[in-house]
Amino acid sequence: MPVILGIETSCDETGVGIVADGVLLGDALATSMDEHARFGGVVPEIAARAHLHAITPMVRHALDKAGIGFGDIDAVAATAGPGLATAVQVGLAAGKAYALTLGVPLYGVHHLAGHAAVDILDHGPLPERSIALIISGGHTSLLLLGDLARDPVIHLGDTADDAAGEAFDQVARLLGLPYPGGPAIDRVAREGDPTAIAFPRPMTGPHDPPYRFSFFGLKTAVARHVERHPGPLPIADIAVSFQEAVADTFTRKAVTACRDHGVDTLLLVGGVAANSCVRALAEHRCAAAGITLRVPAPRLCTDNGAMIAAIGDLLVRAGIAPSPPTLGADPNARLTHALFTRIRTEPPEREAPVDRRERRRPVWTGRPQPTTQTAPATPTLPNTSSDDFSGVDH
Ligand code: KG4
Ligand code: ZN
């Protein structure tokens, strides 16, 4: 049974997973989340530097947990995009180095295909066809999936503006909750009244595209509510009402997509799929519509190495040829195939939708952005002693 080492470094998590035949043998995760908290969003340079420090210990840790050694690895899978450019490059370079030194093939994989594949580790093989709702910090997409290793992925709809997780993070800021905002909103929402505030359900009108998402109007509605509220803010009520609006929109559109395409399995994945309200409403609506809902355990919803090993494992078992060793990272890659084969010689063309994490502003005020955007202020990086990175080319 081929054993796959998976490496994930697209954002602020350094994840390593080891998978064989759809079974997770061991994994390890380090995060630089705390280092970004004071900036209110991920600072790519800090994330990339943290990956450099964490990658080797995490690989060793995952191997120890799996009870195997380097000689047992048959293939390496690494995220080749999308994500923060420098962060992706660290993991891909590490993946290449491991593949080269171990003499095994390298699979450069799409991060979002990993989010979908990870559910195999919890719930077994995917059906022939499924609808996937991917809701993460950088993406929001409704996809029609066939064989994830072989078939092209069909985008039914994406977000017109923010990604779901981005909206959670920014609304949390407005409420004075810490970064990352999703888990913080989820926590405080438990104390709130979900019927307290009727926030809008974006893109759900009769003339709106049925599978497209938008969060800007909802974010702005929360900002206006906060501005106008006299006295102490009812944070729990706002948090739960916002969460309800998002969960309602997601689940309505996902169930409609399943019905329209005659698909009876919905895959709910990505960091925001860890949200308790989204999970509960999806369960309720899928049960009512006769749809089988598959949602990974919360720890596998947010970024991790197991998901990259899981998609690598699928590709290897399908007999797909590996990526070339000269594979380049593509920070803006749209999900069309799980495997990357392109060798980058020129800067990539901008493809929509781009990974929104690259453009996150440290501070969002709730006011509409001007159309001609000015560059965000560069945050001050913490002091780093120069000998920390001797020999590393930045
Ligand atoms: O998939 P992920 O780990 O990273 C990306 O690929 O972007 O998603 C991270 C996002 C963050 O925006 C975080 O706030 C959100 O997932 N998130 C949640 C929850 N846990 C993480 N959002 C809502 N509720 C949660 N429980
Ligand atoms: Zn992700």
Side-chain angles (χ1 to χ4, degrees), residues 118-393:
V118 79
D119 192 60
I120 296 168
L121 306 179
D122 266 350
H123 301 113
L126 293 173
E128 260 177 42
R129 293 173 82 227
S130 57
I131 296 281
L133 175 60
I134 296 195
I135 40 181
S136 72
H139 296 87
T140 303
S141 297
L142 254 178
L143 308 169
L144 181 58
L145 303 182
D147 179 333
L148 200 49
R150 293 192 177 89
D151 297 338
V153 172
I154 297 168
H155 285 247
L156 301 177
D158 301 289
T159 178
D161 39 56
D162 301 309
E166 200 178 14
F168 269 93
D169 294 338
Q170 293 176 348
V171 165
R173 272 193 85 91
L174 284 173
L175 301 179
L177 298 171
Y179 173 85
I185 288 187
D186 205 351
R187 250 187 330 269
V188 302
R190 287 186 203 131
E191 313 296 324
D193 170 6
T195 59
I197 309 150
F199 285 129
R201 272 53 173 163
M203 289 258 182
T204 52
H207 303 295
D208 286 327
Y211 313 130
R212 207 161 154 76
F213 301 89
S214 165
F215 297 97
F216 201 86
L218 175 58
K219 255 175 26 183
T220 304
V222 176
R224 294 290 97 82
H225 189 87
V226 168
E227 273 170 17
R228 289 182 194 144
H229 194 87
L233 271 185
I235 290 175
D237 286 351
I238 297 174
V240 73
S241 302
F242 163 76
Q243 202 171 254
E244 283 283 327
V246 174
D248 182 24
T249 310
F250 282 155
T251 49
R252 254 198 255 182
K253 286 179 182 264
V255 167
T256 305
C258 288
R259 279 209 188 109
D260 292 354
H261 292 83
V263 171
D264 63 4
T265 302
L266 173 65
L267 211 56
L268 191 61
V269 293
V272 181
N275 184 267
S276 55
C277 176
V278 173
R279 295 171 85 95
L281 196 58
E283 258 168 47
H284 176 73
R285 289 203 170 147
C286 284
I291 295 166
T292 303
L293 176 68
R294 295 180 51 143
V295 199
R299 80 173 198 98
L300 293 181
C301 286
T302 45
D303 289 351
N304 62 81
M307 64 190 235
I308 301 307
I311 187 65
D313 174 53
L314 266 192
L315 291 163
V316 169
R317 283 193 284 141
I320 307 287
S323 308
T326 46
L327 179 78
D330 186 351
N332 297 312
R334 182 174 168 85
L335 176 58
T336 54
H337 289 86
L339 183 72
F340 278 58
T341 49
R342 270 191 289 180
I343 304 167
R344 282 249 175 255
T345 50
E346 288 169 8
E349 278 174 35
R350 226 47 187 170
E351 291 167 336
V354 296
D355 188 299
R356 297 200 50 90
R357 290 169 295 189
E358 192 74 81
R359 292 191 286 165
R360 256 184 208 171
R361 286 167 171 248
V363 178
W364 181 74
T365 61
R367 286 178 186 83
Q369 305 294 335
T371 37
T372 45
Q373 296 203 339
T374 50
T378 309
T380 319
L381 296 180
N383 284 336
T384 315
S385 82
S386 56
D387 56 3
D388 273 0
F389 305 106
S390 50
V392 177
D393 183 17

